[in-house]
Amino acid sequence: MPQSTQSFRLSNGLLVIVEPMQDVQSAAVTLLVPAGGVYDAVGRCGTAAVLTEMFTRGAGGLSTRELSAAMDNLGLQRSAYVGNAHVTFSAATTADRIIDALPLIGSMLTAPHLADDDFEPARDLIEQSLMSLEDEPRQRLGKVLREYSYAAPWGNSAEGELSDLPTITIDDVRSHYQKFIRPNEAILGIAGNVDIDEIRDAIEASLGNWKSGEVSDVIAGDLPQSPHHIEHDSAQTHIGLSWNTVPYRHDRYFDAWAAVSLLSGGMSSRLFTEVRERRGLCYAISASLSTLLNEGRVFAYAGTTTERAQETLDVTVAEILRLPEGITEDELQRCKARAKSSLIMQQESTTSRSSSLARDMFHLGRVVTLDEINTRINALTTSQVREFAIEYAPKAMVLVTIGPQELSPACVTSLG
């Protein structure tokens, strides 16, 4: 762990990582609580999402309006959102106000009102969000592609399911809070112009009374089999692909990152150049890494006209399989340049850094410094990336499509 970064654990189990950044004037916190969508009961998918929406609706004796006003008075930029593994609380303000913000954040965790009158409005907002996804084919595709790529409940939608929402009650929400909003395996990352001793005392005062409880295991369920097509009357077809790669904790993760960056790391990347620019097959194409604790996937998307959908699928898969061929130093240097730009921006963002601290501790059990990332990226070679692309070439692909007609999956099913 770098000299400037310190970690400590409260008596209730909460792990805290603090990285002072003396050259900035802000401070940010990111709190990961293992209470996300994977913990929703069967037939109650969306419980964690409703709970997350209710956290801001009054806590610690403050009404919704009073709690919001108190945070606004501190200039606190904040959010609470649900993911598959975690409910995440994020907040940032000027460094001199972060100490005053911690009790407000703590009250949402330790003393949320979860009032009867707030339940229906919160559930209605989740329903509206899910209905908006149904109207956006690309977003809907991403949701379904995940379901076919990760075994349940890891493939379940963290935002919930429209069919399950009517069955969720306020008692379900309160039960989820009691069972899973616990400090035992929660991780708090703090970055900014802070004094470690002062911040330690403030965290102890704000979160020291957070009650620990039993840790719940997640049991993997079924994985649906693709190809899967969703009929949608449109002039467009949306194509989703995914395949196995290494997770973030793997020692070859940066090789995986470089391989995906060559495919889809900007307007000079291979998918954009070959499928969109040279052949004019689609209006949008991309690929990105997704990682669970012990499993990684690459997710790819292409949006095209129905007439050119089959050709788009065939050419996209061919280009993915062609990745090991002809990797040049120029290509790799462009990937490195993009990464370094991102690192520089991360150095200037306390929000990004606090998030990275918490994420690193969850996935790796240690903090990865920006210097270490820079060193790993600089050390990448074309032969190293080529070897990875060959060894981890897709042996199988998940295919999900949305459009007026099914596509032939031959280019995907032939991989096996």
Side-chain angles (χ1 to χ4, degrees), residues 232-249:
H232 180 68
D233 187 14
S234 171
Q236 299 172 335
T237 294
H238 302 266
I239 302 168
L241 295 163
S242 78
W243 61 95
N244 286 332
T245 190
V246 299
Y248 181 54
R249 68 191 311 170

Side-chain angles (χ1 to χ4, degrees), residues 60-351:
L62 298 178
S63 67
T64 303
R65 182 173 297 180
E66 289 168 338
L67 180 62
S68 181
M71 291 183 172
D72 287 343
N73 289 338
L74 294 174
L76 197 66
Q77 300 177 16
R78 70 275 186 185
S79 65
Y81 54 93
V82 64
N84 288 87
H86 297 98
V87 172
T88 300
F89 297 83
S90 177
T93 186
T94 56
D96 60 328
R97 292 175 171 174
I98 198 67
I99 296 295
D100 294 330
L102 287 171
L104 297 174
I105 297 170
S107 70
M108 289 194 297
L109 289 158
T110 63
H113 290 174
L114 303 182
D116 290 349
D117 290 345
D118 292 327
F119 170 70
E120 290 292 346
R123 189 173 62 175
D124 288 347
L125 282 178
I126 300 302
E127 181 180 35
Q128 292 173 32
S129 177
L130 290 173
M131 290 178 67
S132 70
L133 286 179
E134 293 295 310
D135 293 334
E136 292 288 342
R138 179 170 180 172
Q139 300 299 319
R140 185 182 179 193
L141 177 76
K143 174 177 175 289
V144 177
L145 182 61
R146 184 181 179 90
E147 291 173 3
Y148 278 77
S149 299
Y150 291 124
W154 294 104
N156 294 357
S157 169
E159 295 81 9
E161 295 288 348
L162 282 172
S163 58
D164 286 0
L165 280 184
T167 67
I168 298 172
T169 67
I170 184 60
D171 289 335
D172 293 324
V173 173
R174 289 169 179 156
S175 175
H176 195 97
Y177 170 77
Q178 292 293 336
K179 288 180 180 179
F180 304 119
I181 302 298
R182 298 295 186 182
N184 307 45
E185 295 189 353
I187 303 170
L188 176 62
I190 301 179
N193 196 343
V194 297
D195 177 84
I196 289 182
D197 291 334
E198 185 180 24
I199 207 77
R200 180 198 293 263
D201 291 342
I203 292 169
E204 184 68 56
S206 302
L207 295 168
N209 65 341
W210 189 7
K211 301 299 183 184
S212 59
E214 294 184 5
V215 176
S216 299
D217 294 326
V218 177
I219 300 174
D222 298 329
L223 177 66
Q225 297 300 303
S226 79
H228 178 68
H229 177 72
I230 301 170
E231 189 168 341
H232 180 68
D233 187 14
S234 171
Q236 299 172 335
T237 294
H238 302 266
I239 302 168
L241 295 163
S242 78
W243 61 95
N244 286 332
T245 190
V246 299
Y248 181 54
R249 68 191 311 170
H250 197 281
D251 59 4
R252 299 190 70 180
Y253 175 79
F254 283 94
D255 298 353
W257 167 84
V260 174
S261 188
L262 290 175
L263 277 177
S264 179
M267 296 179 68
S268 60
S269 62
R270 293 192 176 190
L271 288 178
F272 190 93
T273 300
E274 180 66 20
V275 187
R276 187 182 187 277
E277 293 295 287
R278 195 173 81 80
R279 300 194 183 223
L281 289 173
C282 60
Y283 57 84
I285 191 162
S286 63
S288 61
L289 280 172
S290 168
T291 182
L292 303 180
L293 192 60
N294 296 304
E295 186 178 357
R297 305 283 291 180
V298 181
F299 286 87
Y301 166 79
T304 184
T305 61
T306 299
E307 293 76 13
R308 309 204 71 177
Q310 186 65 57
E311 186 181 1
T312 298
L313 172 61
D314 294 341
V315 172
T316 298
V317 171
E319 195 63 21
I320 291 167
L321 298 178
R322 199 184 68 82
L323 177 60
E325 300 175 14
I327 297 176
T328 68
E329 188 62 34
D330 284 346
E331 278 185 298
L332 188 56
Q333 287 302 320
R334 285 194 292 271
C335 293
K336 291 180 178 182
R338 287 191 295 270
K340 290 175 183 177
S341 296
S342 177
L343 285 174
I344 290 172
M345 288 185 284
Q346 204 179 132
Q347 285 175 325
E348 298 173 350
S349 169
T350 54
T351 298

